[in-house]
């Protein structure tokens, strides 16, 4: 980066490297010692503070040191308890689904978030499941109807009785 530095009444162009620490959050600042205005009565130059603006990501969002990700999941993948590939900022991770997951379930992947500047510990990746129903062929629908007759799921009926 090329920065202007003041020396006396003159403005001087000086090149320096700015290290942005991992885990820095939007709005935090970095001080560049000696790059500010000249001190009084020939004193040392002050410091220049750079306010960091972190650009939003298309899929990930940050809360503290945790990274959140909304991920569409097929209802069938959940029923079959599949293992799915999940992108993280550090590469892909495999996450095993469980049959009891529902829409809005949060799955935590430890230590796949941002590093804390203060503690040096990593936050987590938190996956927000958004369950969807895939399109079904007429053959698929027949199989599901046969399965439904065998399982005799009464969840809706029990729920409805609560209104009487």
């Amino acid at each position: 980066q090329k920065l202007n530095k003041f020396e006396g009444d003159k403005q001087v162009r000086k090149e320096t490297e700015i290290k942005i620490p991992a885990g820095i959050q939007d709005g935090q600042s970095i001080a560049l010692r000696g790059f500010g205005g000249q001190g009084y009565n020939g004193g040392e130059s002050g410091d220049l503070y750079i306010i960091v603006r972190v650009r939003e990501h298309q899929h990930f969002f940050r809360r503290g040191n945790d990274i959140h990700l909304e991920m569409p999941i097929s209802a069938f993948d959940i029923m079959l308890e599949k293992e799915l590939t999940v992108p993280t900022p550090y590469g892909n991770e495999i996450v095993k689904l469980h049959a009891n997951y529902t829409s809005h379930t949060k799955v935590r992947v430890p230590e796949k978030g941002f590093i804390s500047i203060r503690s040096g510990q990593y936050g987590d990746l938190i996956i927000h499941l958004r369950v969807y129903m895939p399109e079904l062929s007429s053959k698929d629908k027949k199989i599901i109807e046969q399965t439904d007759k065998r399982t005799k799921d009464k969840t809706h009926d029990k729920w409805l009785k609560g209104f009487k």
Side-chain angles (χ1 to χ4, degrees), residues 73 78 98-107 128-131:
I73 301 291
I78 291 174
H98 298 283
N100 64 337
Y101 287 171
T102 62
S103 200
H104 305 292
T105 293
K106 295 176 187 172
V107 178
H128 299 253
L129 301 183
R130 299 297 177 248
V131 180

Side-chain angles (χ1 to χ4, degrees), residues 2 20 72 86 113 115-116 127 141 148 156:
K2 289 188 180 180
I20 308 294
V86 177
I115 190 167
S116 168
I127 305 163
K141 287 179 184 177
D148 186 48
H156 179 77

Side-chain angles (χ1 to χ4, degrees), residues 17-67:
E17 191 171 303
I18 302 170
K19 294 189 188 264
I20 308 294
I24 196 162
Q25 295 190 36
D26 188 65
Q28 288 184 309
S29 62
I30 298 172
L32 293 180
R33 306 284 177 224
F35 278 86
Q38 182 180 9
Y40 293 111
N41 297 324
E44 292 182 18
S45 295
D47 299 334
L48 171 67
Y49 289 88
I50 298 174
I51 308 283
V52 176
R53 294 288 172 220
V54 179
R55 193 175 332 145
E56 289 186 25
H57 190 273
Q58 180 181 358
H59 299 288
F60 297 107
F61 61 97
R62 181 177 186 166
R63 295 286 182 271
N65 289 321
D66 292 333
I67 298 174

Side-chain angles (χ1 to χ4, degrees), residues 26-160:
D26 188 65
Q28 288 184 309
S29 62
I30 298 172
L32 293 180
R33 306 284 177 224
F35 278 86
Q38 182 180 9
Y40 293 111
N41 297 324
E44 292 182 18
S45 295
D47 299 334
L48 171 67
Y49 289 88
I50 298 174
I51 308 283
V52 176
R53 294 288 172 220
V54 179
R55 193 175 332 145
E56 289 186 25
H57 190 273
Q58 180 181 358
H59 299 288
F60 297 107
F61 61 97
R62 181 177 186 166
R63 295 286 182 271
N65 289 321
D66 292 333
I67 298 174
H68 295 255
L69 172 66
E70 288 194 15
M71 192 165 88
I73 301 291
S74 161
F76 295 126
D77 289 344
I78 291 174
M79 287 188 285
L80 296 172
E81 296 188 323
K82 285 189 176 179
E83 289 185 345
L84 295 181
T85 301
V86 177
T88 79
Y90 310 102
N92 291 336
E93 288 285 321
I94 301 297
V95 172
K96 176 145 176 52
L97 300 175
H98 298 283
N100 64 337
Y101 287 171
T102 62
S103 200
H104 305 292
T105 293
K106 295 176 187 172
V107 178
R108 188 173 293 269
V109 181
E111 299 183 356
K112 293 298 176 185
F114 288 104
I115 190 167
S116 168
I117 292 174
R118 292 190 173 117
S119 71
Q121 293 180 323
Y122 283 86
D124 298 334
L125 172 67
I126 300 170
I127 305 163
H128 299 253
L129 301 183
R130 299 297 177 248
V131 180
Y132 70 91
M133 193 58 157
E135 289 186 36
L136 301 173
S137 68
S138 57
K139 185 179 177 182
D140 294 334
K141 287 179 184 177
K142 286 179 184 175
I143 292 169
I144 291 172
E145 286 171 359
Q146 292 170 356
T147 304
D148 186 48
K149 288 176 187 174
R150 285 200 324 247
T151 59
K152 299 177 182 146
D153 182 15
K154 301 292 182 194
T155 304
H156 179 77
D157 296 338
K158 289 177 187 175
W159 172 82
L160 193 57

